[in-house]
Amino acid sequence: MNFDPASYESIEPAAMPFQKQMDAFSLAQSVEKAIENTIVESIMMGSGGPENLEITDHGLRFVRHLLSSSKSMRYGFMPNLKNIECIRELARDYIRKCGNGPLALDNMYDLMHKPQAS
């Protein structure tokens, strides 16, 4: 067996847990960013977005829910759904209201895909 204990002396044990914390933090940050991007795409599916894409029924259902629960709509101000920064802020606000990214994503899918009453 080729075991060389001297090769392990160059690794600092104190730096390894910090690196693992940084990896976990960056992973969590990238997951939250991916969830935010998914919600932004869904808002764009319901509003057409800055590129005036085709509006889908599922996306429109989600956007209607967002607008009905929006604080600015209570005071008569509609968010600019043709500005990507306004859409991102609306998505971040929705995530905050839901508590965290995975809950927001789950609630969004429930809203978009719930059976319609005929």
Side-chain angles (χ1 to χ4, degrees):
M1 177 175 231
N2 295 333
F3 177 70
D4 184 16
S7 65
Y8 291 99
E9 291 176 5
S10 64
I11 299 174
E12 289 184 36
M16 288 173 47
F18 179 72
Q19 183 64 33
K20 288 180 183 178
Q21 285 177 344
M22 289 303 293
D23 290 343
F25 177 73
S26 62
L27 177 65
Q29 204 172 23
S30 64
V31 168
E32 288 292 325
K33 196 64 158 168
I35 290 172
E36 180 184 321
N37 288 337
T38 302
I39 294 173
V40 165
E41 286 176 18
S42 298
I43 293 170
M44 290 172 57
M45 284 174 23
S47 67
E51 293 87 26
N52 289 324
L53 303 173
E54 187 171 337
I55 296 174
T56 65
D57 290 336
H58 298 299
L60 184 59
R61 188 178 302 139
F62 180 59
V63 169
R64 285 180 181 165
H65 170 76
L66 286 177
L67 293 179
S68 69
S69 63
S70 170
K71 187 189 296 186
S72 63
M73 284 296 288
R74 287 185 213 143
Y75 298 107
F77 297 103
M78 185 169 170
N80 182 2
L81 297 177
K82 298 298 179 187
N83 183 341
I84 192 67
E85 289 306 316
C86 290
I87 293 172
R88 285 202 177 282
E89 189 57 41
L90 193 61
R92 289 182 197 122
D93 187 48
Y94 180 70
I95 292 170
R96 262 185 257 120
K97 284 181 184 177
C98 289
N100 62 25
L103 284 175
L105 201 57
D106 189 42
N107 289 338
M108 181 190 73
Y109 282 126
D110 286 345
L111 286 167
M112 290 175 73
H113 299 292
K114 68 180 179 184
Q116 287 183 316
S118 296

